[in-house]
Amino acid sequence: MMRSSVSLKFLGAICVVSLLLHQHLPLSNYYKASAAEQVGCIEKERHTLLELKAGLVLDDTTLLPSWKSDSGNSSTDCCEWKGVSCSKKTGHVEMLDLNGDHFGPFRGEISSSLIKLKHLKHLNLSRNRFIHNPPIPSFFGSLSRLRLLDLKGSHFGGRIPNDLANLSHLQYLDLSSNNLEGTIPQQLGNLSHLQYLDLGVNSLVGTIPHQLCSLSNLQELHLGYTKGLKIDHDQNHEWSNLTHLTHLDLSQVHNLNRSHAWLQMIGMLPKLQKLVLYDCDLSDLFLRSLSPSALNFSTSLTILDLSRNNFTSSLIFQWVFNACSNITQLDLSLNNLEGPILYDFGNIRNPLAHLYLSYNNELQGGILESISNICTLRTLYIDSINLNEDISTILLSFSGCARSSLQIFSLFYNQISGTLSELSMFPSLKELDLSDNQLNGKLPEADKLPSKLESLIVKSNSLQGGIPKSFGNICSLVSLHMSNNKLSEELSGIIHNLSCGCAKHSLQELRFDGNQITGTVSDMSVFTSLVTLVLSHNLLNGTIPENIRFPPQLKNLNMESNNLEGVISDSHFANMYMLKSVKLSYNPLVLMFSENWIPPFQLVSIFLSSCMLGPKFPTWLQTQKYMYELDISNAGISDAVPMLFWYQTTMLKYMNISHNNLTGTVPNLPIRFYVGCHVLLASNQFTGSIPSFLRSAGSLDLSSNKFSDSHELLCANTTIDELGILDLSNNQLPRLPDCWSNFKALVFLDLSDNTLSGKVPHSMGSLLELKVLILRNNNLTGKLPISLRNCAKLVMLDLGENRLSGAIPSWLGQELQMLSLRRNQFSGSLPHNLCFITSIQLLDLSANNLRGRIFKCLKNFTAMSKKNFSTSNMVIYISKLSSFFATYDLNALLVWKGAEQVFKNNKLLLRSIDLSSNQLTGDIPEEIGDLVGLVSLNISSNNLSGEITSKIGRLTSLEFLDLSRNHFFGSIPPTLAQIDRLAMLDLSYNNLCGRIPLGTQLQSFDASSYEGNADLCGKPLDKKCPGDEEAPQEPKSHKETSPEDNKSIYLSVALGFITGFWSLWGSLLLSDTWRHTYMLFLNNIIDTVYVFTAVSAAKFQRWLKGLMEKY
């Protein structure tokens, strides 16, 4: 759905640009006259271009190599430089095409000397990565002859400058996919020659200026995906002025449903071809209140996108086909359509070719029968509509004329079952997607597939076996996507079957990740068109041969998470000029390249975690200018990081060099990371001060190093609105600076396991977005600052193992799920406000000086009162402008089975209360019985008294219970024996008495669990309870017997044995029937015993494995 929409938009933009250039702008071949005719470039303009280059390229001298100064043998005629075109008559520079995909991307700055190019008509700076999100230069407004300005996707920020309204000749303006904010300047309505305007995918707000409707020459207007724009309903009549408009995108303009007038005006536009109203809060009510006769779109409208709205009724089809007589593409995906579609598609007169109905989960039966009657249908997307029938039934129901015309068919993410068999009934089908269903069995032979099939996607099912040999003869096959199935064939067999015919020349994409494919990697160069090869997460093993070759046109290679061995050298990558992505992580491979090796490729993604790259830092990495993702963690590198590498990091979106032995300091450089970059330097040997440039990351993990100073990082006087995750744990930081007010986006902060001293800084209260604060195991003292009450979003607060004092604050946030104040010097009673932290899952106040009684409001802890309470929200998500997400493990330090252990994320199902080692008094509240989800309870080493409440037997999820070293008296409640999950119990050193309740659970514990209770008796203690003594028995007298008395016994035994033996075996020898019957009986007995033994052993192994994983 989205692929088609984006492609159409892109093609439309290309067509408009081509039209504009043809009608109004000189083309490149117009500029490039022959040497005899063309005037050379003007010297001043040549110097201007060199100044422009110096600002754009920063330190990357490989960019714009043809732009040379006087020195050297290269041409000094700037009109011959790539990306530059001049007038053949005057020699003035008229065209600069510096698209980052072709020449960059550039990361520097745009020199103001550009305004010296007075005759510039065409300026394309799209697809670049200008750092620091610079504003669009206002001096662009001085380029008065400009016809085309394209700044798409170049990370510009700030507001749209009003000066652009001075470009009176401008015909094409694209500012989309940047970080622009604020309102749209109404002055843009003065650009009377404008034909193309795209401001979409930004953060613009406010009302769409009605002045834009005066742009009578406008052909395309894209204002979608800004989330903050609104339409001015008082000026709806102005839309009728856009008589040349062919494309209109108002996606995510959320006030469209307040009036019908705008839609009526747009409907009358005579040339409108495409209308996109994605996510505009439109609904059935909006349409029902509009008379069918009140709206008739122009016959020119062919594409209508109403996806992600709130339509529920199939009446939407009747409305669309009545209002739009020539519709060829309709998108209704991501709505709430429900029930059967009560519409006869066989009677529509529209030439509908593309229909998108995905993600309407409430649609019901008959949908395919009805749709199959659309004889012009070529594309059908019905992903995630809750289809739950057998694949053969579904395909047979698609019996109408559309079976012959359909070319793209997507049934992704349903519940379709059965085995793939006959698909040749679709003679025109080119793309089939059956991913994320419940298909099983083997792939069908090629003659069962459509003869024109180009793409087969069946990932995330349960297909078995391998790839049929006949697949090698599918000459049209371009993409085969079989990820996450149960394929178990050897890789060599798969490669042989796919390369035995013409498919080896057509295949461009092979994805077999997440299967059970065995064997080792063989030569892949036979696939002459292969671009993407994914074999990750299989069972591949063995040594990669030295002479193996990959296709020279390969761009993406992924063999992660196998067991491949051997040495990867220069020769394996020879002639691979097109390679962009290499993923070999989690294989015991050794990458050994020549010291001065210069790779023939420029990689974007590099994932080599757990491969051996060291011990020296790989020098070949410094030749890679366009890295976007880099993971060389746990790669055996023991070296200092080269200075040049830090400069390369400014283009990275993800950098992981953790778990090596990297040494030295990180230099404080004048650089910034890419917006939202995730930086992991953990588990190395970095020392010294933490430089300030690291704070420009989106998430930063510096844990487990030897950093000793954080002042530069934390106290630089600039606002930090990107850093969301900061982990400085397990370093050697001695002080906690009081300068946190500049961190506006910090969500996760971990400073545990340092040597921090002094008080918790007051400025930490300015971290308004903070959800996790961990200061565990330091030397912090004093009271907690009251400013922390401003951190109302805290989910986890861990201040354990410090020397903090005073009363537990009454302002603790009600959003807390994990609170640990263990091993401090807090005093006073348990604050009543803890009763209001209803989502608490881990409460640890152990080893303090707390007094008073345990509060009775325990039933308020709803997260502990449910056995299946979700803990998915314990993972922190941080969204960035680029739609990247960062996740981070939450961890808690608990005393479990007598030892301190760290539990992470899903292990936090361990819901726990620990109030041990305080001075609490009173009894155990009966309300404890409401916490049926509680897994661990420790209230040992207090001054508690009274009887142990029988309600404790309701805690059926309990695995750890420690009530030792208190003053409990009375008997052990029999209900305690009902807790069958209990793995650790300690009732020692109390005043308990009576018999230990009988039950296999309580008797299975060691006697030490009950010691120190003088009046307890019964198993497992050696002390017997009254009445347990056995009555004495009279000893039996044994009369001596002589050998003569035993003769009759021996004779009787011998005669009995002989008679029985021959009665059985004689019958078996003489009768075939008896013999066969007896042998069959014996076989059945043996089989029964074997099966019983095998099943019991398997169950025991699973139980043992689960127990080990659990603890």
Side-chain angles (χ1 to χ4, degrees):
M1 176 267 296
M2 292 300 295
R3 287 176 289 182
S4 178
S5 177
V6 172
S7 298
L8 286 168
K9 179 178 177 180
F10 178 73
L11 290 174
I14 292 295
C15 292
V16 171
V17 174
S18 300
L19 178 64
L20 293 175
L21 291 175
H22 179 70
Q23 293 179 344
H24 303 281
L25 296 175
L27 295 173
S28 294
N29 60 5
Y30 170 81
Y31 292 113
K32 302 294 184 183
S34 65
E37 298 176 352
Q38 184 170 333
V39 178
C41 78
I42 297 172
E43 184 66 14
K44 286 185 179 180
E45 295 187 355
R46 188 174 69 85
H47 284 292
T48 297
L49 292 175
L50 291 174
E51 290 179 26
L52 179 63
K53 173 185 175 179
L56 290 174
V57 303
L58 284 180
D59 58 321
D60 192 345
T61 57
T62 63
L63 298 177
L64 299 178
S66 64
W67 292 30
K68 297 283 188 178
S69 60
D70 293 335
S71 60
N73 298 322
S74 300
S75 173
T76 57
D77 185 354
C78 63
C79 296
E80 298 294 328
W81 293 351
K82 288 185 177 181
V84 180
S85 295
C86 304
S87 169
K88 67 178 182 180
K89 295 181 179 179
T90 65
H92 286 297
V93 174
E94 294 187 342
M95 180 178 183
L96 280 180
D97 187 352
L98 299 178
N99 180 290
D101 289 342
H102 300 152
F103 299 101
F106 302 109
R107 299 176 292 120
E109 58 184 21
I110 303 169
S111 171
S112 59
S113 63
L114 185 66
I115 61 175
K116 298 177 183 178
L117 302 179
K118 300 293 186 180
H119 298 268
L120 194 63
K121 297 180 180 179
H122 176 127
L123 178 58
N124 185 352
L125 289 168
S126 63
R127 303 289 185 185
N128 285 292
R129 299 181 187 174
F130 297 119
I131 58 176
H132 311 317
N133 294 115
I136 295 175
S138 58
F139 61 75
F140 280 178
S142 301
L143 301 172
S144 58
R145 300 193 181 191
L146 213 57
R147 267 73 166 172
L148 183 147
L149 178 59
D150 189 349
L151 305 178
K152 178 178 182 178
S154 290
H155 299 280
F156 286 107
R159 304 175 69 90
I160 299 174
N162 295 338
D163 303 82
L164 295 184
N166 299 329
L167 304 176
S168 57
H169 297 285
L170 200 64
Q171 299 166 15
Y172 184 102
L173 177 60
D174 191 343
L175 306 180
S176 64
S177 301
N178 282 289
N179 301 318
L180 301 175
E181 55 190 15
T183 58
I184 299 175
Q186 64 182 27
Q187 291 89 340
L188 294 184
N190 298 331
L191 303 175
S192 58
H193 292 91
L194 203 61
Q195 299 181 28
Y196 183 97
L197 176 59
D198 192 345
L199 305 178
V201 198
N202 280 291
S203 299
L204 301 174
V205 297
T207 301
I208 299 172
H210 67 87
Q211 287 86 353
L212 296 185
C213 295
S214 64
L215 301 174
S216 57
N217 290 310
L218 201 61
Q219 297 178 19
E220 294 199 25
L221 177 59
H222 302 279
L223 301 175
Y225 307 98
T226 59
K227 298 185 180 180
L229 289 179
K230 297 180 180 180
I231 197 170
D232 185 357
H233 287 293
D234 293 332
Q235 304 291 334
N236 282 323
H237 62 281
E238 299 280 357
W239 289 94
S240 61
N241 296 328
L242 301 175
T243 56
H244 288 86
L245 198 67
T246 61
H247 292 68
L248 177 61
D249 187 348
L250 295 175
S251 296
Q252 296 183 335
V253 177
H254 289 298
N255 72 330
L256 297 182
N257 55 9
R258 297 183 183 177
S259 171
H260 299 109
W262 66 272
L263 188 57
Q264 292 171 316
M265 292 296 103
I266 290 172
M268 292 187 294
L269 298 178
K271 295 184 179 181
L272 189 64
Q273 299 173 15
K274 180 178 179 179
L275 177 60
V276 182
L277 301 175
Y278 169 89
D279 192 15
C280 292
D281 290 336
L282 303 178
S283 64
D284 297 333
L285 180 62
F286 177 79
L287 296 182
R288 280 197 292 266
S289 58
L290 178 66
S291 171
S293 59
L295 180 63
N296 279 299
F297 280 97
S298 166
T299 57
S300 61
L301 186 66
T302 58
I303 300 174
L304 179 60
D305 187 345
L306 297 173
S307 59
R308 206 180 187 93
N309 281 286
N310 299 312
F311 298 114
T312 60
S313 170
S314 58
L315 291 175
I316 183 66
F317 294 102
Q318 181 178 348
W319 180 85
V320 168
F321 293 128
N322 286 341
C324 312
S325 58
N326 279 329
I327 196 77
T328 62
Q329 178 174 316
L330 175 62
D331 193 343
L332 289 170
S333 57
L334 292 161
N335 276 280
N336 299 308
L337 297 176
E338 57 188 17
I341 296 180
L342 303 176
Y343 189 80
D344 186 1
F345 288 97
N347 292 328
I348 64 172
R349 298 179 180 179
N350 309 72
L352 188 64
H354 311 285
L355 180 60
Y356 304 89
L357 297 175
S358 298
Y359 299 97
N360 288 285
N361 295 327
E362 301 301 322
L363 281 176
Q364 296 176 1
I367 179 173
L368 288 177
E369 292 93 332
S370 181
I371 293 175
S372 69
N373 294 318
I374 307 175
C375 298
T376 54
L377 194 63
R378 298 200 303 272
T379 302
L380 177 60
Y381 280 76
I382 49 175
D383 306 326
S384 188
I385 63 168
N386 205 24
L387 288 175
N388 55 9
E389 299 174 278
D390 188 272
I391 182 64
S392 58
T393 302
I394 291 174
L395 296 179
L396 287 174
S397 66
F398 201 82
S399 56
C401 54
R403 178 184 288 185
S404 300
S405 62
L406 199 63
Q407 297 179 11
I408 301 175
F409 196 9
S410 182
L411 296 148
F412 167 82
Y413 204 71
N414 283 286
Q415 301 175 40
I416 302 171
S417 58
T419 303
L420 284 175
S421 54
E422 183 62 53
L423 296 170
S424 60
M425 62 186 69
F426 298 93
S428 302
L429 198 63
K430 295 181 179 181
E431 297 181 22
L432 176 62
D433 190 346
L434 289 165
S435 301
D436 289 270
N437 282 287
Q438 300 170 11
L439 300 173
N440 53 40
K442 296 183 177 182
L443 285 170
E445 295 292 334
D447 59 358
K448 302 293 185 181
L449 299 176
S451 59
K452 299 180 180 179
L453 192 64
E454 296 178 0
S455 175
L456 178 61
I457 308 175
V458 203
K459 67 183 179 70
S460 300
N461 282 278
S462 298
L463 298 180
Q464 301 170 351
I467 305 298
K469 187 175 182 179
S470 55
F471 271 48
N473 297 318
I474 307 177
C475 301
S476 58
L477 193 61
V478 173
S479 175
L480 183 59
H481 195 165
M482 305 298 301
S483 304
N484 300 316
N485 279 282
K486 297 179 180 179
L487 301 180
S488 56
E489 190 176 9
E490 280 207 15
L491 180 61
S492 59
I494 292 175
I495 300 304
H496 177 266
N497 290 346
L498 289 173
S499 62
C500 64
C502 52
K504 64 185 177 185
H505 300 302
S506 61
L507 276 168
Q508 298 180 20
E509 181 180 34
L510 288 175
R511 294 182 180 270
F512 293 111
D513 49 304
N515 282 282
Q516 300 166 18
I517 299 171
T518 58
T520 191
V521 180
S522 54
D523 194 273
M524 306 291 294
S525 59
V526 65
F527 296 102
T528 57
S529 301
L530 195 63
V531 174
T532 297
L533 176 62
V534 182
L535 298 170
S536 59
H537 298 276
N538 276 287
L539 303 176
L540 300 178
N541 55 28
T543 301
I544 297 180
E546 293 182 12
N547 59 350
I548 191 176
R549 293 294 179 269
F550 295 101
Q553 71 286 345
L554 195 68
K555 290 184 178 180
N556 305 298
L557 175 62
N558 187 347
M559 298 191 294
E560 287 184 328
S561 300
N562 283 284
N563 195 30
L564 296 171
E565 301 175 344
V567 176
I568 301 292
S569 63
D570 317 15
S571 61
H572 288 102
F573 295 107
N575 300 319
M576 297 185 69
Y577 298 97
M578 305 295 292
L579 198 61
K580 296 297 182 184
S581 174
V582 173
K583 298 182 179 181
L584 301 175
S585 297
Y586 312 115
N587 285 286
L589 291 167
V590 176
L591 277 68
M592 190 177 297
F593 302 118
S594 304
E595 185 174 352
N596 298 319
W597 179 56
I598 299 178
F601 46 71
Q602 285 291 324
L603 295 176
V604 175
S605 297
I606 304 174
F607 286 84
L608 300 173
S609 177
S610 300
C611 296
M612 178 57 65
L613 276 71
K616 292 186 176 181
F617 198 91
T619 56
W620 64 269
L621 276 179
Q622 299 175 51
T623 68
Q624 303 301 294
K625 303 293 185 181
Y626 308 116
M627 292 186 296
Y628 191 66
E629 301 170 297
L630 174 66
D631 187 349
I632 53 172
S633 59
N634 192 28
I637 304 173
S638 299
D639 199 0
V641 179
M643 182 74 71
L644 179 60
F645 174 79
W646 295 113
Y647 283 102
Q648 288 178 281
T649 62
T650 58
M651 294 180 63
L652 288 171
K653 188 66 180 179
Y654 176 81
M655 178 179 73
N656 188 353
I657 58 175
S658 65
H659 293 87
N660 284 289
N661 192 30
L662 299 172
T663 58
T665 60
V666 180
N668 195 7
L669 302 174
I671 59 175
R672 284 180 60 92
F673 289 120
Y674 190 91
V675 178
C677 180
H678 308 315
V679 179
L680 293 89
L681 309 183
S683 300
N684 282 290
Q685 301 292 321
F686 290 119
T687 59
S689 179
I690 305 173
S692 59
F693 80 88
L694 292 177
R695 71 199 313 208
S696 63
S699 65
L700 179 61
D701 185 356
L702 303 179
S703 62
S704 301
N705 279 283
K706 296 181 179 179
F707 289 113
S708 57
D709 189 354
S710 60
H711 189 271
E712 288 184 9
L713 175 75
L714 302 178
C715 298
N717 192 25
T718 55
T719 299
I720 304 98
D721 53 9
E722 284 294 325
L723 187 61
I725 291 176
L726 178 59
D727 189 344
L728 300 176
S729 63
N730 196 17
N731 278 280
Q732 300 174 5
L733 302 176
R735 294 179 300 278
L736 194 55
D738 193 3
C739 45
W740 294 93
S741 57
N742 289 325
F743 291 85
K744 303 301 182 183
L746 202 61
V747 175
F748 182 105
L749 176 60
D750 189 348
L751 288 159
S752 61
D753 299 300
N754 280 281
T755 58
L756 301 173
S757 59
K759 295 184 177 182
V760 176
H762 183 273
S763 62
M764 275 192 167
S766 62
L767 301 176
L768 303 183
E769 300 298 320
L770 198 64
K771 292 186 177 181
V772 177
L773 176 59
I774 306 175
L775 300 176
R776 181 178 61 232
N777 192 24
N778 283 287
N779 295 312
L780 298 172
T781 57
K783 297 181 179 181
L784 293 179
I786 195 171
S787 61
L788 283 181
R789 71 189 306 171
N790 299 326
C791 304
K793 296 182 180 180
L794 273 175
V795 173
M796 177 179 180
L797 177 61
D798 188 347
L799 305 176
E801 300 179 59
N802 283 282
R803 291 184 289 156
L804 299 169
S805 58
I808 295 177
S810 60
W811 40 258
L812 290 173
Q814 297 183 18
E815 299 297 321
L816 280 172
Q817 297 179 32
M818 299 174 61
L819 173 62
S820 177
L821 304 178
R822 67 193 302 265
R823 293 190 181 177
N824 278 283
Q825 299 172 15
F826 289 107
S827 57
S829 60
L830 295 177
H832 186 69
N833 69 293
L834 292 179
C835 297
F836 303 108
I837 309 178
T838 57
S839 297
I840 195 74
Q841 296 185 50
L842 187 149
L843 177 62
D844 190 346
L845 306 178
S846 62
N848 281 283
N849 298 314
L850 300 175
R851 301 175 181 272
R853 304 174 68 89
I854 299 176
F855 33 60
K856 296 186 177 183
C857 58
L858 295 172
K859 62 182 179 181
N860 292 350
F861 295 164
T862 54
M864 297 183 182
S865 302
K866 301 176 183 178
K867 290 188 176 182
N868 298 316
F869 188 82
S870 171
T871 58
S872 60
N873 56 346
M874 299 297 287
V875 181
I876 301 301
Y877 293 92
I878 300 174
S879 176
K880 292 299 170 190
L881 295 174
S882 58
S883 300
F884 263 70
F885 292 89
T887 64
Y888 208 93
D889 290 333
L890 297 186
N891 61 78
L893 183 66
L894 300 179
V895 175
W896 177 248
K897 297 186 179 179
E900 291 185 349
Q901 295 187 31
V902 174
F903 294 84
K904 292 186 178 182
N905 290 347
N906 60 333
K907 299 297 184 182
L908 294 175
L909 287 170
L910 183 69
R911 293 183 281 278
S912 170
I913 294 178
D914 191 344
L915 303 177
S916 63
S917 301
N918 281 286
Q919 302 176 39
L920 300 175
T921 57
D923 56 5
I924 302 176
E926 289 192 355
E927 288 80 2
I928 194 75
D930 294 325
L931 306 183
V932 295
L934 193 64
V935 177
S936 174
L937 175 62
N938 188 352
I939 52 176
S940 64
S941 301
N942 279 285
N943 294 317
L944 298 170
S945 58
E947 294 187 352
I948 300 174
T949 174
S950 61
K951 298 289 182 66
I952 204 167
R954 298 174 56 187
L955 306 183
T956 55
S957 298
L958 207 61
E959 299 181 21
F960 178 100
L961 177 62
D962 191 348
L963 307 181
S964 65
R965 302 182 186 278
N966 281 286
H967 306 295
F968 295 119
F969 56 80
S971 61
I972 298 175
T975 56
L976 198 59
Q978 301 172 6
I979 308 177
D980 55 8
R981 294 187 181 182
L982 203 58
M984 191 278 179
L985 173 68
D986 194 347
L987 302 177
S988 63
Y989 298 100
N990 281 285
N991 299 315
L992 300 173
C993 62
R995 181 189 297 275
I996 297 174
L998 294 176
T1000 56
Q1001 192 70 14
L1002 297 185
Q1003 272 67 47
S1004 66
F1005 295 111
D1006 189 80
S1008 61
S1009 297
Y1010 305 99
E1011 67 184 4
N1013 292 281
D1015 296 327
L1016 273 183
C1017 61
K1019 297 293 184 181
L1021 297 175
D1022 294 333
K1023 181 180 180 181
K1024 297 183 190 302
C1025 294
D1028 286 350
E1029 292 80 4
E1030 296 181 0
Q1033 297 183 355
E1034 290 290 334
K1036 294 183 179 180
S1037 61
H1038 298 281
K1039 185 179 179 180
E1040 293 186 6
T1041 58
S1042 64
E1044 294 294 328
D1045 296 330
N1046 292 331
K1047 285 183 178 180
S1048 59
I1049 297 175
Y1050 297 152
L1051 182 60
S1052 299
V1053 171
L1055 289 174
F1057 174 77
I1058 294 170
T1059 303
F1061 180 83
W1062 285 109
S1063 296
L1064 173 62
W1065 292 104
S1067 301
L1068 295 178
L1069 290 172
L1070 295 174
S1071 173
D1072 292 340
T1073 303
W1074 284 29
R1075 184 165 64 252
H1076 290 307
T1077 302
Y1078 183 71
M1079 292 303 174
L1080 182 61
F1081 170 75
L1082 285 180
N1083 285 335
N1084 288 338
I1085 290 295
I1086 293 171
D1087 290 345
T1088 301
V1089 172
Y1090 173 76
V1091 170
F1092 175 78
T1093 304
V1095 170
S1096 299
K1099 288 183 177 179
F1100 178 76
Q1101 287 177 346
R1102 286 196 300 270
W1103 176 82
L1104 184 60
K1105 182 179 179 181
L1107 190 64
M1108 294 176 68
E1109 290 178 349
K1110 193 170 188 179
Y1111 304 115

